[in-house]
Amino acid sequence: MTVPIPRDIPDLPPIPGHVVLPPTVVPARAVLIPARRRAVAAFRGLIALLALTGVAVELLTGGAPTTALSHFTIQSGILLALVMLVSARCAWSAHHPLPGALTGAALFYVLAAALVHHVLLAHASSPFAAPDGTGTAWQTAATHILHTAVPVAALLDWLLLTPAGRLHLRQAPVWLLYPLAYLAFSLARGELLLPGSEDRYLYPFLDVDQHGYKIVLGNALLIGLALYALAVLLVALDHIRPDPLRRPR
C-alpha cells in the first residue's frame, strides 16, 4: 500500500546562507594517546621507594610514631610517595598523567620542607639551628634522604620527565592552605600537651614557650611569604622551561 503524494507541498523555511560554526578548542590529551614510559615509571617508583625509606627510618628511630608523623617533612614525604606511585602506574600503563596541580603541590611541599630545613634548621648562622651531633646515625641518614635526596630527585623528575606549562599562578595560594593548616595544627597540638612535654613544639621557630605567640606568628608570616615566593617561582619556571616531552619538528 502506497501513500498518495499530496498536491500541495507546504512551504519549507528558507535555507540560510553559510553557517559559521564557533571555533572549538580540543585539549591535546583528548586526541593524543599517551605512550608507555616504563623508564619514567621505574624512576618514579624509585623516588617513592626512597621517600618511604626515609619515612620508615624516621618512624623507627625518631621516638613515638605519632610525634614523627606530626612533622611536616614526614607528611610531605608520604604525599610525594603516593603521588609518585600513582604517576608511575600511569606512565607504565599509558594512562593520562595526574593533574599538574596535584603533582606540583607534592613537589612544592617537599621543596618547602627542604628549604626550611637547610635555611633555618641546618644552617650554622640560623638562630634555630640544631646543635651538631644530635640524633643517631639512622636519624641523620633519614634527614639527608628526606631533605636532600628526595627533593632533588622530585625536582629532576619535574624538570626532565614532566610536561611543561601545566602549573598556573592561581594554584599558588591554594598550595599554601596546607602549610597554614599545619601551622594551626602545630600550635593547637602544643596547647593540648602539658608544659615541659618533650617535642611539645616540633620546630624551634614555632616554640611558643620560648618565643611567645607574637614572635612565632611573625616567624610563620615570614616563612609563608617565602613559601609563596617559592610557589610563584615554580609556576614561572614551568612556563619558561623547555618541554621534555615535545618532539622536535
Side-chain angles (χ1 to χ4, degrees):
M1 180 177 180
T2 59
V3 179
I5 301 175
R7 293 182 180 181
D8 297 330
I9 300 177
D11 294 335
L12 298 176
I15 300 176
H18 297 288
V19 179
V20 179
L21 298 177
T24 58
V25 178
V26 180
R29 61 176 297 178
V31 295
L32 297 178
I33 301 176
R36 294 180 183 270
R37 306 169 66 199
R38 294 184 175 178
V40 174
F43 181 66
R44 290 175 179 169
L46 290 176
I47 296 176
L49 179 61
L50 185 64
L52 292 177
T53 299
V55 170
V57 172
E58 187 65 32
L59 290 177
L60 293 175
T61 62
T66 54
T67 301
L69 289 172
S70 298
H71 282 84
F72 186 88
T73 301
I74 300 299
Q75 297 175 11
S76 61
I78 294 174
L79 174 62
L80 179 74
L82 294 177
V83 169
M84 283 297 166
L85 287 175
V86 177
S87 297
R89 181 181 181 276
C90 293
W92 185 273
S93 55
H95 289 168
H96 288 294
L98 293 177
L102 178 58
T103 56
L107 173 65
F108 169 68
Y109 295 142
V110 295
L111 290 180
L115 179 67
V116 170
H117 172 78
H118 288 289
V119 174
L120 294 180
L121 303 179
H123 200 279
S125 61
S126 172
F128 307 111
D132 295 334
T134 58
T136 64
W138 285 106
Q139 290 175 330
T140 302
T143 297
H144 287 300
I145 290 174
L146 293 173
H147 294 105
T148 303
V150 168
V152 169
L155 186 62
L156 289 176
D157 173 79
W158 179 66
L159 290 174
L160 303 178
L161 304 175
T162 303
R166 303 177 66 203
L167 304 182
H168 304 282
L169 190 59
R170 64 178 181 272
Q171 296 166 350
V174 179
W175 292 345
L176 292 179
L177 293 178
Y178 170 45
L180 182 61
Y182 182 82
L183 172 64
F185 159 76
S186 180
L187 296 180
R189 177 182 179 276
E191 289 296 327
L192 293 175
L193 294 178
L194 295 176
S197 301
E198 186 179 2
D199 293 328
R200 185 183 182 191
Y201 294 99
L202 300 173
Y203 295 96
F205 49 83
L206 298 180
D207 193 335
V208 177
D209 289 340
Q210 184 176 0
H211 305 292
Y213 272 102
K214 183 178 180 180
I215 295 180
V216 164
L217 294 179
N219 294 336
L221 177 60
L222 293 177
I223 294 174
L225 292 175
L227 295 186
Y228 182 74
L230 174 64
V232 173
L233 178 61
L234 283 178
V235 174
L237 288 177
D238 189 50
H239 287 272
I240 63 175
R241 68 187 178 97
D243 193 338
L245 301 184
R246 181 176 297 173
R247 297 178 181 179
R249 296 180 179 179

